[in-house]
Amino acid sequence: MGGGESKAEKRIFNETEQSYVKKHYDLLVSQKPLRFIPATLTNRIFEHLKHSHKEKVKGHGAFSHSSFEVFLESTARGTVTDKSNILFHLSSPKDDTVNALNLYQTVYEFVVGFKDIIKDLPQWKYWQTTDYKEKDTERFVLSLFFELYTKGISKKLAVPMLCVPKDTSYTVIDIEEWLTKTSMMIWILDVVFINIFCLDEENSRKDVLHSSVHIPVITNSKTLPISTILDRNALVYLNNYNLPKHLTSEWRLLFCNSLYGDSFSQLVGHIVNKGPSIIIVKDKDGYIFGGYSSQGWELGPKFYGSADCFLFTIAPQYGVYTATGYNDNFMYLNQGQETLPNGLGMGGQFNYFGFWIDHSFNHGHSKAGPRCTTYGSPQLSKSPEFTVEMVEVWGVGPEPKSEDSDDEDKDKKQKSVLQDTESKAMLEILGKHQYSEGFKEREEDEIMSEEMKKKMNAIPKML
């Protein structure tokens, strides 16, 4: 972070931004709390700047304005390397390595700040989420460390329960490798820094926040908010860094057993041909898990779907498990068959699904030990066989067109073709030529109703 003065001379920020930079600088050097984040994180930022820049500053002896500008540039426009250095030194301002617990505490403080920043987004009015508990935030924070804590563990072994390692330290290189694989952590850092050190008007800050954090609106209900198994952490986790971006703006409640009863027939009736969806299950042991289906559910005797499907866990720990390429047993739904399994499943094989709800509705299984062949997922439930407590299915993205609307479009096409054919016949009677003929789709020209045939047969008589 050397050369702070020379960088400042090059005007890192424009004149409008400079006024905001000075405001943040004055606040920080006076050691007043920064908004949104815990006081402990404000203190970490102060100590980092004080130890990173040794120049003596008249009046407070902390750090210079130009040094602060360089720091702001790294937070707002820096590379993964820059952000790795910042996170490392916030956690360990004086040492060459950082203790695992200190790093965890720093990330926890960033997540607390992130939650405070997004809590007033207007889209939350659609949702009645499960109340936050400290242990839920701890689970969310631990999930961000998955790539760091499981480094070197074979993907073929069972997924370990995550916890902060004891007597373990990391270098800045370790942190950079971890951040490179954990885009959600970089995103949280960016959201927090952009909001605590905003360089624009408040309305602009909110606009940027709305465009960077995607909380879906609920589009198919007149009664709001709608209750869900998920808490806000889980909703952000699934929607922002796991779903395809074009599906993140709106969700539609397709099924919930608290509304429609513990009925597999009701489940099937509400989810078939509804487009991509997320199914969430809470079992009697309190485990929360489910799967994303990349296309609409369909009844049939075979597996189908695509490699965009995935399984996930929310409790007792977060995890997302994507296609391994070993097989294409992504989705399965069947009902009323004598020789085939009846139920809803994802991954694995018949009778050994990665995730399965039986046609009885109240029972299911997750027989994937040590890992599901299709998704590389562990056993999602506490026991291989589980009892269903709650099920929710959410359609994600815009509602697909129904078959009725497709039929209407087809009728309009046929009517248009009929009219065009009649016009063509009349032009030919008058000795005219239809110059637009070559531009019509061939299959449209070949569609002809019985009524049209009668009219065409009547033309010679008219002549």
Side-chain angles (χ1 to χ4, degrees), residues 17-27 65 68 72:
E17 293 170 333
Q18 282 290 343
S19 62
Y20 292 99
V21 172
K22 185 179 185 306
K23 177 183 174 183
H24 296 313
Y25 173 75
D26 291 341
L27 192 66
H65 186 280
F68 180 62
L72 281 190

Side-chain angles (χ1 to χ4, degrees), residues 182-345:
T182 313
S183 56
M184 192 169 193
M185 184 69 240
I186 296 175
W187 173 63
I188 289 172
L189 292 174
D190 288 343
V191 169
V192 172
F193 279 129
I194 287 170
N195 283 274
I196 63 175
F197 296 125
C198 180
L199 301 178
D200 208 335
E201 295 180 357
E202 181 68 7
N203 286 339
S204 297
R205 180 192 70 80
K206 290 180 178 179
D207 289 342
V208 172
L209 181 61
H210 291 172
S211 63
S212 58
V213 181
H214 302 292
I215 309 301
V217 300
I218 298 174
T219 58
N220 68 333
S221 176
K222 296 179 181 178
T223 305
L224 297 172
I226 292 182
S227 179
T228 176
I229 302 169
L230 303 174
D231 65 15
R232 291 189 175 188
N233 289 333
L235 189 57
V236 168
Y237 178 80
L238 290 173
N239 198 57
N240 282 269
Y241 267 85
N242 292 295
L243 285 183
K245 284 191 176 180
H246 67 283
L247 301 178
T248 60
S249 62
E250 59 186 83
W251 286 23
R252 295 163 285 112
L253 182 62
L254 302 181
F255 176 85
C256 178
N257 63 321
S258 63
L259 294 175
Y260 298 108
D262 295 353
S263 165
F264 190 76
S265 294
Q266 285 285 343
L267 172 65
V268 171
H270 282 87
I271 69 173
V272 167
N273 298 324
K274 297 296 184 180
S277 62
I278 282 184
I279 181 167
I280 309 160
V281 175
K282 182 178 182 181
D283 69 15
K284 290 290 186 182
D285 294 308
Y287 278 47
I288 301 174
F289 50 88
Y292 162 69
S293 57
S294 60
Q295 62 190 69
W297 287 98
E298 301 171 4
L299 287 167
K302 296 180 180 180
F303 283 96
Y304 60 102
S306 75
D308 293 325
C309 298
F310 60 79
L311 297 182
F312 62 84
T313 54
I314 299 298
Q317 74 177 16
Y318 285 86
V320 167
Y321 309 98
T322 55
T324 62
Y326 183 84
N327 60 42
D328 56 2
N329 297 347
F330 303 115
M331 301 165 59
Y332 176 86
L333 180 65
N334 217 343
Q335 185 181 26
Q337 302 299 311
E338 293 184 4
T339 58
L340 292 169
N342 292 307
L344 180 152

